[in-house]
Amino acid sequence: MLLQVHIGPFGGGATRSRLDSEGAAAAAREASAGPRGARAAREPHSASRRRASLAVFRAAAITAWGIVGGQMILAPDAPLYRALLGGPAISVLHLAFGAALWANTRRIQGPSPARASVALLVLQLAIALLVSPDLLLLVALEAPLILTGRASLLWMAVQVPVSVARPLAAVAGYGVFVPIPALHHLPYGEAVAISILWFTVWQGLAFAGGHLAATQYRDAQELARANAELLATRHLLADSSFLAERLRISRDLHDAVGHHLAALSVNLELARVHVNGRAVEAVREAQGVAKALLADVREMVSRLRRDRPFDLCRALETLVAGTSDPEIHLALPETLEFANPAHGHAIFRCVQESITNTMRHAGARNLWIDIRRAPERVEVRVRDDGRGADDPTPGNGITGMAERFADAGGGLEFESAPGRGFSLRAWLPAGGKAA
Ligand SMILES: Nc1ncnc2c1ncn2[C@@H]1O[C@H](COP(=O)(O)OP(=O)(O)O)[C@@H](O)[C@H]1O
Ligand SMILES: [Mg+2]
C-alpha cells in the first residue's frame, strides 16, 4: 500500500561523499578532536565489545549443540523417534537445528523481531521436541534473543508445557511414557512430577541466562544510542548558539557602532566647515579615519553573516555512530550548511525519528539515509529493508517531521508495503535566510 502525505517534485543530483556506519564513527571521532572526541570515540569500542560478547555466547551455544549431536550418535535416548524417523532423518533435523541456531544468534533483536527469525525459532522447537529434550534448553536460551519482554515469557509459557506433554503423549511400548525415561522405575505420578520439575527448572534457567544476556546487550545498545543522541544534540546546540551569537554581534555592530560612526562622520563634516587654520587638516584626517572605520564595520557585519553557516554533517555523523543495529549507511554532501538553523533542525529530527522508527517498527538489518543538496533544495531520503507496514498511520513522529518540513517551505512523503520496507522522502528549499 502506498501512502503519501504530501508530494512535490524531486530535486537534481548533488556532490556526495559516501560514509557507512564505521566511516561515520571515524568521522565523528575526527570531527570531535580534543576532550569532546574522547566521548565520541568510546562508542565504536562499546559496539565491538558487544559484538565480541555475542560471538562468545554464540560459540558456546553452537558447542552445546554439537555435544547434543555427539550424544545422540553415541547414545540415542529416544528409541521411538529413532525407530520412526531413522538415523539419517535425525541427523538432518539436527543439522537444520544447528543452521537455525547459527542464523538466529547472529544478532540480538529489538522490539520488532524479523519474522524469519521467529519462524526459525518455531522450527527449532519442533525439531527439539522430535529429536532431543537437550535441544529444548538451547531453544529456551535463544528465545529471549529474538523475542523481547512479554513475548519471550509467553513463548516459555508455551514451550515448557509442550515439552512436558510431548513424551507423555508418546505411543506406549517404546519406553517413553514418562518424560524422563530414566525415572520409569518410580511410580508413574512421581516420575511425571519430577520430570515436570526437571523440565521447568532447566529450561527456566536457560531462559533466564539468555534473558540476562539479551537484556544487557539491548540496554548497552540503548545507552550507546542515547549517548550519541546527546552528543549530536550538543554539537547542534553549540553550532546553532554559535551562529545565533554571531548574528547578534553582527546586528549590534551594525546598529550601535555603525550608527555612531555614521553620526561621527556627519559631525566631523560640520566641524570641518567651522574650523580653520591647522585644525582643518586634523578634522579632515579624523573624517578619513571615521569613514575607514565605518567601511571596516560594514565589512565585518557582512562577513559575520556570510561565514561559517550552520553545518549539519558533524551532528548527523555523531548521531548515526551510536547505532550499530540496524547498520546505517549514511550518504552526505561535502557540506550541509544552513543559514537558517531551523532547516538543519528539521533534517536532524527527521533522521533521528527515522532511526527510532526503524528500530521500533521495522526489524530491519539496514537503514539507508541519503541527503542530497541541489541548487534549489535539500532532500532527505530514508529507506530500510525491514518488514514494512500495510497501512501506516502517521503518529506524533511522522506528523512532527511533516510539520517541520512544511514550516520550512518543504514537504514530506512516505511509502511502505508489507515485506518491502519503509521509505521516506522529505525536502526543503536550499536557500534559507538567516533568522
Ligand atoms: N521503519 C518503519 N517500518 C515499519 N513501519 C513503520 C516504520 N516507521 C513508521 N512505521 C509505521 O508508521 C507509524 C507511525 O510512525 P510515527 O509517526 O513515528 O509514530 P510512532 O513511532 O509513535 O508509532 C508507526 O506506528 C508504524 O506503524
Ligand atoms: Mg516514531
Side-chain angles (χ1 to χ4, degrees):
M1 151 136 217
L2 185 100
L3 253 174
Q4 301 202 324
V5 173
H6 177 215
I7 302 175
F10 276 91
T15 327
R16 284 183 292 144
S17 63
R18 287 233 150 249
L19 278 172
D20 58 13
S21 60
E22 293 297 324
R29 275 202 303 279
E30 221 171 81
S32 328
R36 268 190 200 146
R39 286 230 209 143
R42 210 176 288 161
E43 168 42 25
H45 291 306
S46 85
S48 63
R49 264 205 309 271
R50 282 201 304 277
R51 266 198 295 277
S53 59
L54 183 61
V56 171
F57 184 93
R58 195 180 191 200
I62 292 292
T63 308
W65 165 82
I67 289 171
V68 173
Q71 267 176 358
M72 283 199 305
I73 292 167
L74 297 174
D77 67 343
L80 166 67
Y81 303 105
R82 182 158 282 274
L84 285 181
L85 300 168
I90 288 184
S91 301
V92 168
L93 287 175
H94 189 66
L95 281 175
F97 185 99
L101 182 70
W102 180 254
N104 267 0
T105 47
R106 251 181 323 190
R107 56 195 275 245
I108 290 186
Q109 308 213 13
S112 297
R115 290 207 177 109
S117 305
V118 180
L120 283 181
L121 194 66
V122 173
L123 175 77
Q124 283 177 276
L125 179 60
I127 294 176
L129 289 170
L130 272 176
V131 170
S132 162
D134 293 344
L135 292 180
L136 289 166
L137 298 179
L138 287 176
V139 179
L141 187 77
E142 188 187 312
L145 272 56
I146 311 286
L147 305 166
T148 53
R150 259 195 230 149
S152 68
L153 285 173
L154 202 67
W155 174 273
M156 287 312 287
V158 173
Q159 176 176 326
V160 172
V162 167
S163 64
V164 176
R166 189 274 289 169
L168 285 175
V171 184
Y174 290 92
V176 286
F177 258 110
V178 290
I180 301 175
L183 300 177
H184 74 272
H185 60 281
L186 293 177
Y188 187 70
E190 265 177 49
V192 169
I194 292 174
S195 301
I196 289 173
L197 196 67
W198 188 95
F199 274 91
T200 311
V201 167
W202 282 111
Q203 289 185 52
L205 191 67
F207 173 76
H211 188 262
L212 189 71
T215 309
Q216 286 212 345
Y217 190 95
R218 288 187 186 111
D219 286 352
Q221 234 175 2
E222 188 47 39
L223 206 66
R225 196 172 77 92
N227 186 37
E229 262 186 27
L230 274 174
L231 273 175
T233 313
R234 200 172 71 176
H235 290 332
L236 211 60
L237 265 176
D239 286 353
S240 55
S241 51
F242 184 75
L243 192 70
E245 189 61 10
R246 286 172 72 103
L247 273 174
R248 192 187 62 73
I249 293 171
S250 81
R251 281 188 192 128
D252 286 356
L253 269 177
H254 179 268
D255 296 350
V257 183
H259 171 81
H260 287 128
L261 280 173
L264 183 66
S265 281
V266 171
N267 283 324
L268 284 170
E269 181 63 27
L270 275 177
R272 196 170 61 89
V273 177
H274 292 101
V275 295
N276 39 41
R278 288 176 57 199
V280 174
E281 197 46 39
V283 171
R284 191 171 285 143
E285 248 177 53
Q287 233 181 336
V289 172
K291 269 192 189 145
L293 269 176
L294 194 60
D296 282 355
V297 166
R298 289 207 171 114
E299 169 57 23
M300 272 164 77
V301 167
S302 358
R303 211 177 328 123
L304 277 171
R305 286 180 165 273
R306 204 173 49 226
D307 291 354
R308 202 184 180 278
F310 182 83
D311 187 357
L312 197 62
C313 289
R314 183 170 70 139
L316 287 177
E317 282 157 0
T318 309
L319 177 70
V320 158
T323 304
S324 51
D325 188 10
E327 186 173 349
I328 301 183
H329 310 269
L330 176 69
L332 292 175
E334 291 293 337
T335 57
L336 199 52
E337 293 173 338
F338 296 93
N340 184 347
H343 289 194
H345 276 118
I347 292 182
F348 181 83
R349 294 288 170 214
C350 170
V351 170
Q352 191 181 29
E353 179 64 20
S354 298
I355 296 174
T356 308
N357 276 353
T358 308
M359 291 174 80
R360 278 181 63 195
H361 306 298
R365 302 295 303 272
N366 293 288
L367 171 64
W368 291 269
I369 300 170
D370 187 353
I371 301 182
R372 299 164 186 214
R373 171 147 227 163
E376 292 302 308
R377 59 203 246 134
V378 180
E379 192 172 292
V380 185
R381 291 180 190 213
V382 181
R383 172 171 70 85
D384 68 48
D385 58 356
R387 70 158 57 92
D390 189 12
D391 188 8
T393 316
N396 289 335
I398 291 177
T399 308
M401 276 193 237
E403 282 168 359
R404 278 192 200 98
F405 280 94
D407 287 349
L412 178 145
E413 64 183 29
F414 63 90
E415 64 176 288
S416 186
R420 292 205 2 237
F422 191 96
S423 56
L424 181 144
R425 194 172 70 92
W427 62 94
L428 43 75
K433 290 274 171 292

